[in-house]
Amino acid sequence: MICFKNIPLLLLSLLLACQRNAPKETLEPPAIPPGTPVTVTMVEISSMQEFTELNATATFLQKSVIKANANGYLRGGNIRLGQYVRAGQLLYTLQNKEASALGNLLEGVDTSFHPRSLIEIRSNHAGYVAQLDRQPGDYVQDGEQLAIINNVSSFAFVLDLPFELRQFLPQNRSVELILPDDSHLRATVSSALPMVDLVSQTQRFELKVPISAAGSTVPENLIARVLWIKTLRPKALSLPKAAVLTNEMQNEWWVMQLINDSTAVRVPIRKGLEAGERVEIVSPRFSPNDRILRSGNFGLDDTARVIVLKSN
């Protein structure tokens, strides 16, 4: 006769027997999450420069005023506005009043008579005719202005430099001019006026350019941009901008550095100059063999697992 009180004990025994006879499952270690794909770069030691952009104006610093040297009539003019004239080139012929009257009287008697009292007026300098005040046939008086010639040898760009930037002059003996058509000219800092503008507190500097650019290539009053070196680091340690990370306030900067083939750690840095696509690293002083993450670094935590794809 079966005792119902023993049924639970029988069922428990059967369950224990099944567990003992069941094959044991193999326990696998927990899966390791895959790393973030990244690329790496190395630090570079090179010269870095920080520029300040200013404006300079093309001008002729010297202008020759052509004047009449006697009273009389202008009988000939060999120039036109904007023309390039050589030094010593004939500009005007001037006939005094008395010779003109005598010539008109004698021409009525002898048409072959040509008075020889013409006075030649020539250019003192090579340059461009910037202004014409008198034309042939005009009566002029001694000392009266006839024309203005821009002296081509005095052509330069004029730069009004803020006085606080004057300390950087020794490293700016040669500067680059960028014209409105994006063409470039090299200019040399030649001289400075020994005075400062009262209102703007700027000092005027003369930037000399090749004479061949005067007038034809570069007209007067053209405004060019000047790249003025503000800071120079001859041996700066730098990284690509993509390797340098910052917070929302942009008051902290760091890089992710590989400490082995699969782990990157966060390294705070102090940055310096920014030139083009590179950033100067002031501290810490990385070695040329240190590997810094260039891409895939954004949002990584400290001691992040990574997979290096390639090195730049």
Side-chain angles (χ1 to χ4, degrees), residues 205-221:
F205 283 82
E206 177 185 342
L207 309 180
K208 296 294 291 184
V209 296
I211 294 179
S212 58
S216 56
T217 305
V218 182
E220 189 175 19
N221 298 324

Side-chain angles (χ1 to χ4, degrees), residues 41-49 233-244 255 269-288 290 292 294 312:
T41 187
M42 312 292 187
V43 293
E44 179 181 304
I45 299 177
S46 61
S47 176
M48 293 188 67
Q49 300 173 349
R233 299 277 197 274
K235 296 181 180 180
L237 191 75
S238 66
L239 284 169
K241 281 186 176 180
V244 178
V255 298
I269 65 165
R270 184 163 64 93
K271 72 182 189 70
L273 301 181
E274 293 188 20
E277 292 300 318
R278 301 199 68 83
V279 177
E280 179 190 14
I281 307 300
V282 178
S283 66
R285 190 74 180 176
F286 292 108
S287 73
D290 288 335
I292 308 298
R294 179 171 185 167
N312 294 336

Side-chain angles (χ1 to χ4, degrees), residues 79-147:
I79 58 173
R80 64 183 183 277
L81 194 64
Q83 177 185 351
Y84 176 80
V85 296
R86 304 180 306 276
Q89 181 174 330
L90 180 64
L91 304 179
Y92 293 100
T93 55
L94 177 66
Q95 187 178 40
N96 59 43
K97 186 176 182 180
E98 293 75 12
S100 178
L102 180 60
N104 292 334
L105 179 61
L106 294 177
E107 283 178 0
V109 179
D110 184 2
T111 57
S112 65
F113 175 77
H114 298 284
R116 298 183 178 179
S117 57
L118 297 179
I119 302 172
E120 295 181 345
I121 301 176
R122 298 180 178 273
S123 174
N124 296 324
H125 302 282
Y128 292 89
V129 180
Q131 183 175 324
L132 283 177
D133 298 285
R134 292 298 184 182
Q135 299 295 332
D138 291 345
Y139 178 79
V140 296
Q141 296 181 351
D142 187 11
E144 187 173 346
Q145 178 174 304
L146 305 180

Side-chain angles (χ1 to χ4, degrees), residues 35-40 258 261 295-296 306-312:
T36 302
V38 297
T39 61
V40 299
L258 282 178
D261 291 337
S295 65
V306 298
I307 300 174
V308 178
L309 299 181
K310 64 178 181 178
S311 298
N312 294 336

Side-chain angles (χ1 to χ4, degrees), residues 13-274:
S13 299
L14 290 174
L15 289 173
L16 293 175
C18 290
Q19 289 180 356
R20 285 193 298 268
N21 295 328
K24 296 183 179 180
E25 295 181 358
T26 303
L27 297 178
E28 296 181 356
I32 300 176
T36 302
V38 297
T39 61
V40 299
T41 187
M42 312 292 187
V43 293
E44 179 181 304
I45 299 177
S46 61
S47 176
M48 293 188 67
Q49 300 173 349
E50 182 182 20
F51 292 92
T52 295
E53 188 173 298
L54 303 170
N55 288 335
T57 304
T59 186
F60 292 92
L61 298 175
Q62 298 176 3
K63 301 177 185 292
S64 299
V65 178
I66 307 302
K67 296 182 179 182
N69 50 12
N71 297 337
Y73 293 91
L74 294 177
R75 291 306 188 192
N78 195 30
I79 58 173
R80 64 183 183 277
L81 194 64
Q83 177 185 351
Y84 176 80
V85 296
R86 304 180 306 276
Q89 181 174 330
L90 180 64
L91 304 179
Y92 293 100
T93 55
L94 177 66
Q95 187 178 40
N96 59 43
K97 186 176 182 180
E98 293 75 12
S100 178
L102 180 60
N104 292 334
L105 179 61
L106 294 177
E107 283 178 0
V109 179
D110 184 2
T111 57
S112 65
F113 175 77
H114 298 284
R116 298 183 178 179
S117 57
L118 297 179
I119 302 172
E120 295 181 345
I121 301 176
R122 298 180 178 273
S123 174
N124 296 324
H125 302 282
Y128 292 89
V129 180
Q131 183 175 324
L132 283 177
D133 298 285
R134 292 298 184 182
Q135 299 295 332
D138 291 345
Y139 178 79
V140 296
Q141 296 181 351
D142 187 11
E144 187 173 346
Q145 178 174 304
L146 305 180
I148 294 179
I149 308 294
N150 288 333
N151 188 346
V152 69
S153 63
S154 70
F155 183 78
F157 278 82
V158 173
L159 170 69
D160 292 323
L161 180 69
F163 191 76
E164 61 270 20
L165 296 180
R166 198 178 188 278
Q167 58 181 310
F168 305 111
L169 181 62
Q171 60 196 25
N172 286 279
R173 303 309 302 178
S174 178
V175 295
E176 185 175 21
L177 300 176
I178 304 176
L179 305 185
D181 61 355
D182 287 332
S183 60
H184 293 232
L185 280 176
R186 295 303 299 180
T188 303
V189 179
S190 176
S191 59
L193 294 179
M195 64 185 69
V196 171
D197 183 79
L198 180 62
V199 177
S200 63
Q201 290 296 288
T202 57
Q203 187 174 11
R204 179 156 292 187
F205 283 82
E206 177 185 342
L207 309 180
K208 296 294 291 184
V209 296
I211 294 179
S212 58
S216 56
T217 305
V218 182
E220 189 175 19
N221 298 324
L222 185 73
I223 296 177
R225 293 181 291 132
V226 184
L227 295 182
W228 190 270
I229 299 176
K230 185 177 180 181
T231 309
L232 176 64
R233 299 277 197 274
K235 296 181 180 180
L237 191 75
S238 66
L239 284 169
K241 281 186 176 180
V244 178
L245 304 172
T246 185
N247 58 5
E248 294 182 355
M249 301 298 294
Q250 293 189 353
N251 56 7
E252 294 181 3
W253 290 269
W254 66 90
V255 298
M256 300 299 294
Q257 179 182 358
L258 282 178
I259 58 174
N260 55 41
D261 291 337
S262 60
T263 306
V265 297
R266 174 172 168 164
V267 180
I269 65 165
R270 184 163 64 93
K271 72 182 189 70
L273 301 181
E274 293 188 20

